Amino acid sequence: MPKPARPFLTLLIVLVVITSRVGNAGADATAWQLEPAQPTSPAAMAGEWRLLHANMGVSAMHMQLLPDDFVLMFDRTDSGPSNISLLDPASCAASAAALNVTAARVDCSAHSVLLDLRSNALHPYPLATNPWCSSAALLPNGTLLQTGGFSNGDRIARLFSPTSGWIDLPDFLAARRWYASDILLADGRVLILGGRRQYNFEFFPHDGVNGPPPLTFFPFLDETTEVDAENNLYPFLHLLPDGTVFVFANDRAVVFDPYNRIPLRRLPTIPGGVPRNYPSSGSSVLLPLRPEYPTHAEVLVCGGAPRGAYQLALRNGTFVPTDRTCGRIAPTDDNPVWAMEEMPLPRVMGDMVLLPTGDVLIVNGASAGTAGWELGREPVMYPVLYRPDTQNGARFEVLAASTVPRMYHSSATLDTYGRVLVGGSNPHIGYVFANVTYPTELSLEAFLPPYLDTRLDGLRPRVLGAPAEVGYGEAASVRFEVPGGALAGGGPEDQVVRVVAVAPAFATHSFGMNQRVVALAVTRLAQLDVGVYEVEVATPPSPGVAPPGYYLWFVVHAGVPSSAAWVRMRPLGGAP
């Protein structure tokens, strides 16, 4: 994807100095009022934070953007009542009386909420089974498939839509799935892989007649687990353009054929020896796919905690400095090699969010310790922007800081307006709001990346019309207007105006499952009226490039994106 123009916003890359600290688990709470990791010159930082809700009622451990501009956020069900009710007090008391127990023993609260982005209104939804540390994928029909969890939820598959709410499919899963990962495949099925002590995978939907079919053993997960810390939970999964799957666990990666159920090849170990998966909890994205290189893909993996960090924090109260390296690899190359870079700020439990400009936002996390209850210290308050098409050594930019620590059990995801929604953070077993250094966080913020600066509003396109549904290898047209009237000059039309399709992520535990940016080839650009234009694009050539389902289509003019239109990528063969 071409490097976007950035009028008004060419900022100095800020060098940082991090002071690492070692703590004592037995110290009192005031001993942990540590300065967050920060750059040395915060005055020049771009971006803006806005508070959307001071109290959503639940802590957003899991987050998913859904079609028609809804965001689903949910927590675990076994940590006590949340702060948002399903019933009025009288109805809750009546329920308690019917059960012959005190009202305190009846959980009349919601553990999932739906945010309507258009009105900013919250709607509580009952959630019957426990989705703690679960996984999910948005199905081609727009329904969320949600799999696994803990206790009474570990063998459950759930379906969610705003109209039906949660529907449980009891005992659908062949194995208990806790800390597994889901990925939507090119054929519209979902691969469900891994989980605690589960070195295997299965599919949704499955073809079992009398229950789930037998599991397929996946030895790579067995090889990459560590006895004391695992460090391979929530494996990073990315669908490659040829339909195969990149799987990263601990510090190793393979390319896997999910259709024939066999690993195809091993990739080099990422240099440095730092584990990147839970609980060392780095993050990963598939970098934007380009129409001029339809078979080429690159993966970026950033951050994590050094080997042994989990044991040191858990047993000794020693919170070691986290990692600042990123590794970038093209698994589709004949001889892939990791290229290493350094972030301005070290980070564990960070969330990587793909933006419509093709850049990557890295937000949330800590600079000491690891993931786990009470095991992280020194929150990283500054997001970092990564520009993959900029020269190595100048790709990172430190952005404006939040005032809210977001560490264990936080989440972040792109919304329809190009904002990044940031919520969650609860390093405690239950909801704890007082007498702790890092209270349970029920708020929801929106981070506005630099492209949402109001000084760019004259360049910002507004989508007037887009197709509701497209097929593969078709021509599609998008109409838009530019408030300033004329298009910015200075380059080929496919750089002045671009259209990108963004697959929304299921965000939890520092990994946005299934997020994807696919740049669409511009074939024609025409002016229809003063300030009104139509751009014709070629839709993705295959389901490997863009699996079927719902995408956000953004028009990007001179590096400034519009709000998005929802467009469905129709499955091959006209399947629903």
Side-chain angles (χ1 to χ4, degrees):
M1 188 176 295
K3 179 184 176 182
R6 294 182 179 275
F8 313 113
L9 293 175
T10 304
L11 299 177
L12 176 68
I13 301 299
V14 183
L15 299 176
V16 299
V17 177
I18 302 300
T19 301
S20 302
R21 298 174 176 85
V22 176
N24 186 320
D28 61 39
T30 58
W32 291 113
Q33 299 292 346
L34 302 175
E35 291 295 326
Q38 58 183 333
T40 57
S41 175
M45 286 158 203
E48 179 185 350
W49 289 89
R50 292 183 183 173
L51 181 66
L52 298 184
H53 283 277
N55 184 347
M56 295 190 299
V58 303
S59 189
M61 181 190 300
H62 313 84
M63 188 184 297
Q64 172 77 55
L65 176 68
L66 298 171
D68 296 325
D69 299 346
F70 294 103
V71 181
L72 178 67
M73 291 165 282
F74 55 99
D75 202 353
R76 51 189 292 198
T77 61
D78 61 350
S79 56
S82 73
N83 279 28
I84 186 168
S85 295
L86 287 167
L87 302 173
D88 61 79
S91 299
C92 188
S95 297
L99 295 171
N100 196 29
V101 298
T102 63
R105 291 182 56 192
V106 177
D107 186 352
C108 293
S109 65
H111 296 281
S112 68
V113 295
L114 192 70
L115 172 68
D116 186 335
L117 289 174
R118 294 160 294 191
S119 65
N120 202 35
L122 288 167
H123 305 280
Y125 279 77
L127 182 54
T129 53
N130 193 354
W132 176 24
C133 301
S134 53
S135 50
L138 194 62
L139 296 176
N141 66 2
T143 299
L144 182 68
L145 168 71
Q146 217 276 316
T147 57
F150 184 70
S151 184
N152 69 346
D154 61 7
R155 295 279 301 274
I156 301 289
R158 306 170 193 82
L159 301 174
F160 180 89
S161 72
T163 53
S164 65
W166 291 100
I167 298 173
D168 279 4
L169 305 178
D171 296 322
F172 177 90
L173 299 174
R176 60 193 301 265
R177 300 289 175 191
W178 196 27
Y179 302 95
S181 293
D182 291 359
I183 187 169
L184 181 66
L185 299 175
D187 63 5
R189 292 182 300 163
V190 174
L191 172 70
I192 307 162
L193 185 143
R196 177 154 285 167
R197 292 181 288 278
Q198 297 296 342
Y199 314 129
N200 51 62
F201 62 86
E202 56 188 301
F203 297 94
F204 179 95
H206 59 58
D207 53 5
V209 177
N210 299 311
L215 294 168
T216 302
F217 181 55
F218 197 67
F220 176 67
L221 290 180
D222 189 15
E223 297 166 13
T224 53
T225 196
E226 297 175 16
V227 174
D228 291 339
E230 296 169 300
N231 274 330
N232 67 346
L233 301 179
Y234 279 125
F236 303 146
L237 307 181
H238 300 296
L239 181 69
L240 300 178
D242 63 358
T244 60
V245 175
F246 171 92
V247 183
F248 186 100
N250 200 319
D251 61 354
R252 281 151 276 173
V254 295
V255 174
F256 163 60
D257 178 355
Y259 313 101
N260 295 309
R261 306 189 180 202
I262 55 172
L264 294 178
R265 62 186 182 277
R266 292 181 178 270
L267 301 179
T269 299
I270 192 169
V274 174
R276 310 285 179 157
N277 297 84
Y278 184 88
S280 285
S281 293
S283 192
S284 177
V285 291
L286 178 75
L287 292 176
L289 300 177
R290 308 164 182 260
E292 63 268 32
Y293 306 114
T295 62
H296 179 77
E298 288 187 80
V299 171
L300 182 69
V301 177
C302 290
R307 204 171 303 280
Y310 179 82
Q311 296 93 329
L312 286 168
L314 182 68
R315 297 171 186 171
N316 303 331
T318 300
F319 303 93
V320 301
T322 59
D323 187 69
R324 66 168 65 232
T325 63
C326 292
R328 183 167 165 173
I329 193 170
T332 52
D333 284 359
D334 290 336
N335 296 294
V337 177
W338 288 99
M340 302 304 292
E341 304 175 67
E342 283 200 350
M343 298 183 288
L345 300 162
R347 199 179 301 251
V348 67
M349 297 180 284
D351 288 277
M352 296 172 70
V353 180
L354 291 169
L355 302 179
T357 55
D359 299 333
V360 182
L361 184 76
I362 309 173
V363 67
N364 299 333
S367 61
T370 185
W373 283 327
E374 322 293 346
L375 301 184
R377 296 292 187 272
E378 300 183 54
V380 183
M381 311 297 280
Y382 290 86
V384 169
L385 195 66
Y386 177 84
R387 298 189 181 99
D389 297 321
T390 303
Q391 184 178 359
N392 193 355
R395 288 174 175 158
F396 291 100
E397 177 184 345
V398 180
L399 303 178
S402 172
T403 59
V404 181
R406 305 276 187 186
M407 298 191 293
Y408 190 46
H409 289 150
S410 58
S411 59
T413 196
L414 183 74
D415 79 0
T416 316
Y417 306 113
R419 306 175 301 182
V420 176
L421 304 183
V422 182
S425 191
N426 184 19
H428 315 293
I429 296 176
Y431 282 11
V432 182
F433 302 106
N435 302 317
V436 290
T437 306
Y438 305 117
T440 301
E441 202 37 78
L442 302 182
S443 67
L444 180 70
E445 297 175 282
F447 179 71
L448 280 58
Y451 56 65
L452 289 175
D453 190 302
T454 55
R455 292 174 293 178
L456 299 175
D457 285 351
L459 296 170
R460 195 175 317 285
R462 185 170 73 91
V463 175
L464 301 175
E469 186 172 286
V470 296
Y472 293 98
E474 296 181 352
S477 296
V478 179
R479 285 184 296 111
F480 66 96
E481 65 177 358
V482 176
L487 295 178
E493 64 181 24
D494 64 347
Q495 294 185 27
V496 174
V497 174
R498 295 179 290 117
V499 179
V500 297
V502 182
F506 175 71
T508 190
H509 289 76
S510 305
F511 183 46
M513 300 178 195
N514 296 293
Q515 69 174 323
R516 193 178 197 85
V517 170
V518 181
L520 306 180
V522 172
T523 57
R524 182 178 62 88
L525 179 62
Q527 184 169 356
L528 304 181
D529 204 341
V530 177
V532 179
Y533 301 86
E534 183 175 76
V535 58
E536 184 177 280
V537 297
T539 63
S542 70
V545 173
Y550 283 85
Y551 289 79
L552 298 166
W553 278 28
F554 291 89
V555 176
V556 183
H557 169 231
V560 181
S562 65
S563 293
W566 285 98
V567 179
R568 183 175 182 254
M569 198 78 235
R570 187 170 54 247
L572 290 175

